[in-house]
Amino acid sequence: MFKNWKILVIGAGTMGHSIAQKFAVNGFETTLTDQSEDQLKLAKKMITNNLATLVDLSEITKAEADKAEKMIIYETGFDKTAPDADLVVETIIENPDAKRALYNTLDKLCKPDCIFTSNTSALNIFEIAKEISHPERLIIAHWFNPPHIMPLVEVVIGSETSPETVDKVKNILLQIGKIPAIIKQYIPGFIINRLSVAIAREACHMIDQGWTTAEDIDAAIISTFGPRYPFEGHMELLDHVGWDVAKAVASFIHPQLCNSTGGNPVADDFVAKGFLGIKSGRGIKDYSNVDISELQQKRNIKIIKMLKAVKSLNA
């Protein structure tokens, strides 16, 4: 169905280069564009390194890696490639004005049946890009970092998104080995970020109250959620717990939970101190003497090995 589809990925940053790589590995001619020539050079280097890691871990062959590199075209503009694109993946900065301007430009350049997907993690792209002439082709496809490894893509349907667009996006994601999770309408945070923020709020509340530490919270999560989540989600877990037990526990705990709608005190403190995580050299942990590229590479390898184990477990 998608054999001759051409993919246009706009934005060659953390997400864009990896998404382009995933399509290329699966045989799609892919154009990766960015306004910055330096960013494109960096993206090309990162893709080469990513492919080498996949070869080392026997995820793909050397021949497949070489072929994938040849399937990617790097451009600082998209005027020439947009008219031939069948699927656009937008991964630019989370700025409404920038996204609105981009979609208005794409609307003029692309053919009417070209599908527009936004990788936004929070913004209501359906409101931002409401001026495009064919809103039935607009949809959110939110990938997770690193996109060429993480299986999930959240697919968010707009009020004017056509069933045909949903079906095509779902099936092309399945074809490249992704697991699409459908959200039937735009909701802030989609599935994962809503759950993640809820967990982070309670975890940081416990730290702020002095009840426990970040290290102990992570140890607790790794030692309970960690072994179970690879083969059962939280809703299925409650089947094993028993919904009567879950109801009773929740009725007691719900009133005790943090329900603040304001800022996160731990995050506020860390940001004020410049503790932004690995990018600043300090977060919960001290990364000042760590090679960040090596750290991220090791993390990617751990994810790949875990996914292999999960696949074997669920076979």
Side-chain angles (χ1 to χ4, degrees):
M1 180 179 181
F2 309 104
K3 184 178 180 181
N4 297 315
W5 271 36
K6 295 182 178 180
I7 312 299
L8 172 59
V9 179
I10 302 177
T14 302
M15 301 298 285
H17 82 275
S18 184
I19 293 172
Q21 174 189 322
K22 185 63 177 178
F23 277 108
V25 166
N26 283 274
F28 288 95
E29 181 181 315
T30 304
T31 299
L32 179 59
T33 73
D34 198 282
Q35 294 177 333
S36 169
E37 185 71 42
D38 289 340
Q39 184 59 52
L40 285 174
K41 290 178 181 178
L42 178 60
K44 188 172 184 178
K45 179 181 179 180
M46 289 190 292
I47 288 173
T48 298
N49 291 340
N50 289 343
L51 291 171
T53 299
L54 293 177
V55 171
D56 290 342
L57 294 174
S58 301
E59 290 292 299
I60 60 175
T61 66
K62 181 64 165 60
E64 289 171 330
D66 291 342
K67 182 178 179 181
E69 290 208 76
K70 294 176 182 177
M71 297 295 289
I72 303 175
I73 301 168
Y74 299 87
E75 297 282 355
T76 53
F78 50 81
D79 289 2
K80 295 179 180 179
T81 52
D84 294 326
D86 297 289
L87 177 72
V88 172
V89 181
E90 172 266 305
T91 69
I92 69 169
I93 186 173
E94 291 283 75
N95 177 286
D97 291 336
K99 289 185 186 290
R100 184 179 298 109
L102 173 62
Y103 281 103
N104 287 341
T105 299
L106 288 170
D107 192 41
K108 297 171 184 176
L109 292 174
C110 296
K111 53 192 179 184
D113 61 348
C114 175
I115 294 174
F116 295 166
T117 69
S118 176
N119 184 54
T120 182
S121 59
L123 296 177
N124 186 348
I125 203 66
F126 307 108
E127 181 63 26
I128 292 169
K130 63 182 179 181
E131 298 174 1
I132 63 172
S133 59
H134 295 280
E136 71 278 359
R137 60 167 164 190
L138 180 63
I139 197 167
I140 292 172
H142 177 226
W143 300 56
F144 288 81
N145 189 26
H148 66 284
I149 298 174
M150 296 297 287
L152 179 66
V153 178
E154 292 175 317
V155 177
V156 185
I157 304 171
S159 61
E160 296 186 74
T161 307
S162 70
E164 291 77 18
T165 295
V166 177
D167 186 62
K168 287 178 179 178
V169 169
K170 178 180 177 180
N171 281 292
I172 197 170
L173 288 172
L174 289 169
Q175 184 169 319
I176 64 173
K178 292 299 178 183
I179 299 174
I182 308 298
I183 297 101
K184 298 177 182 179
Q185 66 180 65
Y186 171 80
I187 52 172
F190 316 146
I191 296 173
I192 296 301
N193 279 338
R194 289 178 79 96
L195 295 176
S196 179
V197 167
I199 292 172
R201 180 173 68 177
E202 190 60 34
C204 289
H205 176 65
M206 289 189 285
I207 295 169
D208 187 53
Q209 295 299 309
W211 298 337
T212 188
T213 65
E215 292 78 11
D216 284 323
I217 288 173
D218 278 353
I221 290 173
I222 290 169
S223 302
T224 53
F225 294 165
R228 294 190 299 226
Y229 277 0
F231 64 88
E232 66 182 12
H234 200 80
M235 304 311 292
E236 184 181 347
L237 168 62
L238 294 178
D239 276 349
H240 292 275
V241 170
W243 284 91
D244 52 340
V245 176
K247 177 184 176 182
V249 172
S251 67
F252 170 70
I253 294 181
H254 277 179
Q256 313 300 323
L257 295 175
C258 175
N259 61 2
S260 171
T261 58
N264 180 321
V266 175
D268 290 344
D269 179 54
F270 272 33
V271 171
K273 292 176 178 176
F275 294 175
L276 307 182
I278 62 172
K279 62 184 175 183
S280 68
R282 177 67 189 269
I284 290 295
K285 296 181 178 180
D286 185 350
Y287 306 97
S288 57
N289 295 316
V290 175
D291 183 324
I292 300 305
S293 296
E294 183 179 337
L295 176 66
Q296 291 179 322
Q297 188 79 338
K298 287 181 177 179
R299 180 175 182 267
N300 288 352
I301 291 172
K302 287 179 181 179
I303 295 172
I304 292 171
K305 289 182 176 180
M306 181 59 71
L307 289 172
K308 279 186 175 182
V310 171
K311 185 176 181 180
S312 174
L313 181 68
N314 293 328

